Amino acid sequence: MPHAPEPDEDNLDAITPPQPVFYVEQALLGALLLDPHRLSNVTGIAADSFSTAAHAALYAAITTLPPPDPAEHAKNTKWLARVLATGREQARGLTASYLHTLVQVCPWPSHAPAYARMVEAEHARRRLRTAAERLVHTVHDASLPHPVQTVLAEADALAAVVDDIANRFPPRAGVLPRTTAPPPPAAPDSAEAVEEEQVLLATATAYPADIEAVRWLLPEDLTLPLHAGLWQCLTTLARRRETVDPVTVLWEAQQRGLLDDGSEPGEVLRLLTEPAGSVEHWGERALQRSLLATAEHTGRRIEAYAGDPANTPFQLVVGARRGLADVSAIRTRWQHATGAAPTQRQRPAPTTRAGPPTTTAAHAARSTRATR
């Protein structure tokens, strides 16, 4: 029976309780310790593919040291002693008894390639989750001078990880992850966002001819349902070339049932009569908030997929690419809004399973226009 290390084995029980991949790693390492020549059949993984420092150190030692003569290895433990000594340079808690445990728990050394594939799949899931978490963290980094460009660069880095996983695990049928995706985040309770959207609506009401120039702004980019509905009223009236002023917008809002939620007609008229600045400026501000919110939702969605160990790499690729398509769509609208030249994300070269996995991906070129 697979045996998880005891607490007194120098903290080798880093995963508590151990996940299935812990036992898979034990079986793989046991196979390689027992039959080192099987390393030639193990592909697609490197030391950083393992879930614990001890296992990573052991794999690094096994792959670094010259393999022993099979006949000599069958008669003595000299090579195992060298593996232990080399591994302890990186993980001091390794013990001879743990190596013995690894050999004992390996059910079939000939199954080493299958074990390696499982380790590779689990590492892919962890990489994807880390990249998604980094995207979400970047969205909330208030210190960024150009948040949109930085967030889009992180989205590109996440997409590069997805591409690399797809190269290693080519998708079969387009089966979505079984995990329920988290709902979009609620509209931020931001007085600044509400005020800016009110100014946008008022300015567009005062200068309806400018609405055509911001066709890239969609109702769903606004944070409040009332604001989204009023923007739809404005764009509809402008497209019909009908009269636009606070009264006509209010009437259109009534026809669409926007006042059914209890909004006071007088309050709607008031917010439509205080223009300032330009429609394009406030529209761009709203679009920026929407882009960041979309990136956050995409990151959390992929994070949820990757956090469910039941999802296969194939499912993770399909789910992640669908989420990233939302970022791609709003990126295109942002480029139209800001006049930024579209950037072609560098696709990583296909990786073969014969080499170690790519753990980092270069960021794509960033937009040259600063956020307004």
Side-chain angles (χ1 to χ4, degrees), residues 29-47:
L29 293 171
L32 298 179
L33 291 172
L34 187 63
D35 295 334
H37 69 278
R38 297 190 185 280
L39 183 62
S40 61
N41 298 323
V42 172
T43 60
I45 61 173

Side-chain angles (χ1 to χ4, degrees), residues 119-140:
V119 170
E120 183 182 10
E122 182 65 14
H123 182 231
R125 190 173 67 84
R126 292 198 305 270
R127 289 175 58 208
L128 185 62
R129 186 174 186 177
T130 298
E133 290 172 347
R134 191 162 51 240
L135 174 60
V136 174
H137 173 77
T138 303
V139 169
H140 291 281

Side-chain angles (χ1 to χ4, degrees), residues 10-27:
D10 296 304
N11 292 324
L12 289 178
D13 57 338
I15 300 180
T16 306
Q19 298 297 311
V21 70
F22 183 84
Y23 299 103
V24 173
E25 293 174 1
Q26 284 189 322

